[in-house]
Amino acid sequence: HSGLNVCFMKRICNGCNWAAQKRGMLDCAFCRTPCPDNDADKLAMVQARVVKKDPVAMNHLGDKYCHGKNGLQKDMRKALELWTEAAEL
């Protein structure tokens, strides 16, 4: 009943997001960043957070590598590296 906003790697309640959109706020309800339109933009936002050593972003990207989502090749080795680094932070 919530979605992960890749701009700041926090979950937002679907109802809160819907209420913000109803008031004309089509960007992120918290940070006002424009919502990404495609997988490449989502991936770029997550990777920017990974570079800043955000453990939530590392875990999220590890999941994407594990399952081969968002245009990434399935890579368990990379997923484990990201999960390990996130756990150490």
Side-chain angles (χ1 to χ4, degrees):
H1 303 359
S2 64
L4 185 72
N5 284 22
V6 294
C7 50
F8 67 112
M9 300 309 298
K10 301 281 185 209
R11 291 200 163 277
I12 181 172
C13 163
N14 289 341
C16 295
N17 197 28
W18 179 80
Q21 289 176 0
K22 188 175 176 184
R23 285 178 282 165
M25 188 184 315
L26 301 177
D27 297 334
C28 174
F30 288 104
C31 70
R32 310 297 190 259
T33 301
C35 296
D37 293 335
N38 55 52
D39 287 345
D41 290 343
K42 288 179 188 176
L43 188 59
M45 290 179 117
V46 173
Q47 288 173 329
R49 300 291 307 176
V50 168
V51 168
K52 295 176 183 177
K53 301 296 184 191
D54 181 343
V56 176
M58 290 176 179
N59 182 53
H60 184 74
L61 188 57
D63 288 342
K64 298 304 176 193
Y65 273 111
C66 177
H67 300 291
K69 304 266 183 168
N70 287 47
L72 295 172
Q73 290 278 340
K74 198 172 189 178
D75 186 347
M76 285 304 296
R77 185 173 305 223
K78 182 68 174 171
L80 285 172
E81 287 174 11
L82 286 163
W83 289 332
T84 302
E85 188 173 353
E88 291 172 352
L89 293 174

